[in-house]
Amino acid sequence: MRLSRYFLPTLKETPSEAKIASHRLMLRAGLVRQESAGIYSWLPLGLKLLKNIERIVREEQDRAGAVEMLMPTIQSAELWRESGRYDAYGKEMLRITDRHNREMLYGPTNEEMLTAIFRSFCKSYKELPKMLYHIQWKFRDEVRPRFGVMRGREFLMKDSYSFDVDEAAARRSYNRMFITYLNTFSRMGLQAVPMRAETGPIGGDLSHEFIILAETGESAVFCHKDLVDMPAPGLDVDFDGDLQPLVDERTALYAATEDVHDEAAFMAVPEDKRLSARGIEVGQVFYFGTKYSEPMRANVSHPDGKERPVHMGSYGVGVSRIAGAIIEANHDDEGIIWPLAVAPFKIGIINLRQGDEQTDAACESAWKALEAAGLEPLYDDTADRAGAKFSRMDLIGLPWQLIIGPRGLKDGLVELKERASGERQNLSLDAALDLLRTVCASS
Ligand code: P5A
């Protein structure tokens, strides 16, 4: 992509409304624009990031055996009356009336809709288990939308729903999502700690939040320090095998959000292992048994011929919130530092003297070679000064910068800078391209 043709409205000034680094940087780097409180447009660079996050979430859901579908954003109030949540959900629900005076709502979550879909097609235990998911915009009329996309009113969520014959089977589905979430966040360069959590309006009595530790996080959390650097289970996990030991390993040690915090249990953790911190909730999993299936009559026949309500769980990932969480965990004074796996572009090419024949030719050939390798670099071919190009490239945080100018080319050299370490090396264009092809292909 040529920057001269792209749409990258970066800001020089720090927007005063942005209180935390990720919000400031998302606005400054031209990723999003606020349209109204808690509602954002995703500009081209932001959309690429969002798609990368979504792709990783989707790949890991598929790997764990969940099946993708798509439900609408607008739902009928009728469904929510059946479950009893229409009134209970309160002011956070955006209620709409259509031209026929029918009550509708912009979905804050989809338990009711998927229960209704399930009950109209599945009638027997033989069709279980089922795990379905979609990635769709949600709306919650939050009292205090803040921190940019971290607490939006409109936000993108991946939500999965499991249907099982009984509690034991439902626990296996819960474990699948529990393990797959750890792998999902780890692939994005995030260390997520699962913590016992309150179930709130979703319901049930078993729930874990997946927390990224960050000073600017909204929740106060308490956990055993060993959980913080525990490696993710890994992509070769056998999802058909027994996942309980892997889950037990991560739930045996104390970890809880403030809502369910038990000070006495926390004090039983050795003092040097006690961590009291703040965190960002990037996902949450719930087992709520028959809370929806019972009132909504989502029953299946059992081997004994009797019909019983199906056991359910739901599992959410805050896809758009993760964009903010990744920046919160990966930035410096100059700007964002994208982990390779989610970077909107992996490589930026900086032309230090646009209009210089030899420099232009070297940049064009680098650009074409990287395009041909499927690496899609962002080529800064604008007429801006070198200094402006450097700071813009640091601000938008692409992992690799290939810097090409007349002075280096005289000696047959270009410069390669790694954004994260700041390390620079001078090498021939061919050697630089080889190195980029190797390091970028591995993500
Ligand atoms: C689980 C999936 C649910 O809604 N129903 C379907 C369950 N869970 S949840 O915890 O309420 O939300 C799931 C994840 O969505 C993100 N999230 C938000 N992101 C941005 N702005 C918001 N206002 C917002 N609210 C929730 C969180 O990452 C949460 O874990």
Side-chain angles (χ1 to χ4, degrees):
M1 175 59 66
R2 287 176 186 279
L3 187 55
S4 60
R5 306 226 177 110
Y6 202 51
F7 185 72
L8 182 64
T10 52
L11 306 177
K12 286 215 175 55
E13 304 303 322
T14 299
S16 61
E17 75 273 22
K19 301 277 178 279
I20 61 171
S22 59
H23 188 192
R24 276 197 295 275
L25 289 168
M26 287 190 85
L27 296 171
R28 283 196 54 216
L31 298 173
V32 294
R33 191 183 100 104
Q34 182 175 307
E35 299 304 342
S36 50
I39 301 180
Y40 289 85
S41 286
W42 290 77
L43 303 174
L45 197 69
L47 181 62
K48 268 178 153 298
L49 163 72
L50 197 62
K51 294 273 172 208
N52 286 343
I53 297 170
E54 200 181 303
R55 176 178 43 78
I56 293 176
V57 171
R58 178 176 286 116
E59 283 173 8
E60 294 314 314
Q61 286 296 298
D62 295 350
R63 196 191 308 276
V67 182
E68 187 170 11
M69 59 179 296
L70 184 60
M71 289 173 273
T73 53
I74 305 294
Q75 307 185 18
S76 145
E78 245 353 272
L79 270 181
W80 287 66
R81 290 218 168 83
E82 279 191 54
S83 72
R85 273 209 297 184
Y86 190 61
D87 295 324
Y89 217 94
K91 288 197 161 176
E92 251 178 44
M93 181 185 277
L94 180 64
R95 296 159 207 255
I96 309 164
T97 310
D98 74 7
R99 58 164 53 181
H100 305 292
N101 251 347
R102 276 191 286 257
E103 290 173 279
M104 316 287 286
L105 56 103
Y106 193 130
T109 176
N110 285 60
E111 279 79 8
E112 283 76 0
M113 188 172 281
L114 204 50
T115 306
I117 291 172
F118 178 87
R119 77 178 168 197
S120 56
F121 298 112
C122 296
K123 310 285 183 200
S124 159
Y125 75 96
K126 289 181 193 154
E127 293 165 80
L128 299 178
K130 286 276 175 286
M131 173 81 78
L132 292 157
Y133 77 97
H134 75 161
I135 301 177
Q136 178 62 291
W137 292 91
K138 305 286 186 286
F139 196 95
R140 293 183 185 172
D141 203 352
E142 302 276 353
V143 197
R144 277 219 295 163
R146 58 184 184 151
F147 300 158
V149 300
M150 292 268 220
R151 182 162 295 280
R153 292 200 295 164
E154 188 184 43
F155 61 96
L156 190 60
M157 191 201 287
K158 182 290 297 173
D159 36 330
S160 314
Y161 302 85
S162 63
F163 300 88
D164 282 281
V165 69
D166 57 21
E167 178 169 355
R171 287 298 288 260
R172 288 195 285 277
S173 296
Y174 187 92
N175 289 349
R176 260 180 200 239
M177 286 297 115
F178 190 106
I179 295 301
T180 211
Y181 276 19
L182 293 170
N183 284 338
T184 303
F185 299 127
S186 159
R187 277 190 64 190
M188 298 173 194
L190 292 172
Q191 176 78 34
V193 183
M195 304 200 183
R196 278 195 314 101
E198 197 171 62
T199 55
I202 306 293
D205 46 28
L206 173 64
S207 180
H208 288 89
E209 283 183 9
F210 289 75
I211 299 282
I212 308 299
L213 297 179
E215 274 168 30
T216 47
E218 283 194 291
S219 342
V221 295
F222 305 85
C223 72
H224 192 293
K225 279 187 183 158
D226 288 359
L227 287 169
V228 176
D229 40 28
M230 206 176 261
L235 303 184
D236 52 357
V237 162
D238 173 14
F239 281 103
D240 294 321
D242 182 9
L243 299 174
Q244 196 63 50
L246 282 174
V247 172
D248 287 347
E249 232 183 298
R250 288 160 175 89
T251 49
L253 298 176
Y254 187 86
T257 63
E258 59 188 325
D259 303 326
V260 297
H261 178 53
D262 173 351
E263 188 65 15
F266 187 50
M267 286 303 139
V269 174
E271 195 177 351
D272 61 328
K273 292 287 185 184
R274 266 180 235 151
L275 180 70
S276 149
R278 300 198 70 80
I280 303 167
E281 173 207 332
V282 286
Q284 188 167 0
V285 293
F286 302 82
Y287 165 67
F288 41 71
T290 59
K291 169 171 173 178
Y292 301 89
S293 52
E294 208 168 303
M296 295 183 71
R297 294 181 216 288
N299 298 325
V300 288
S301 63
H302 279 229
D304 62 7
K306 289 208 177 104
E307 286 200 346
R308 295 187 184 89
V310 69
H311 281 252
M312 292 176 57
S314 72
Y315 316 89
V317 168
V319 175
S320 48
R321 175 178 288 184
I322 287 175
I326 293 175
I327 299 177
E328 216 47 56
N330 301 280
H331 68 271
D332 62 14
D333 291 346
E334 317 317 316
I336 303 167
I337 306 171
W338 295 118
L340 202 54
V342 295
F345 294 92
K346 293 183 164 69
I347 305 161
I349 302 173
I350 298 180
N351 182 330
L352 289 179
R353 180 114 22 105
Q354 196 67 36
D356 173 71
E357 205 175 315
Q358 201 196 0
T359 311
D360 289 355
C363 288
E364 294 284 327
S365 93
W367 179 44
K368 290 202 177 109
L370 293 169
E371 282 278 348
L375 294 174
E376 202 201 7
L378 180 65
Y379 170 26
D380 189 343
D381 62 341
T382 64
D384 294 342
R385 310 176 281 109
K389 292 189 177 190
F390 288 139
S391 46
R392 177 166 53 219
M393 211 45 103
D394 279 351
L395 172 65
I396 66 170
L398 310 187
W400 293 94
Q401 300 177 8
L402 180 59
I403 303 161
I404 304 180
R407 213 177 298 160
L409 285 177
K410 230 173 27 199
D411 303 321
L413 296 174
V414 298
E415 192 178 20
L416 195 57
K417 174 178 157 184
E418 189 183 12
R419 175 68 179 87
S421 63
E423 267 169 35
R424 297 158 178 273
Q425 46 183 316
N426 292 308
L427 60 190
S428 74
L429 180 55
D430 281 344
L433 293 176
D434 275 345
L435 199 148
L436 287 173
R437 279 188 285 254
T438 311
V439 291
C440 294
S442 62
S443 76

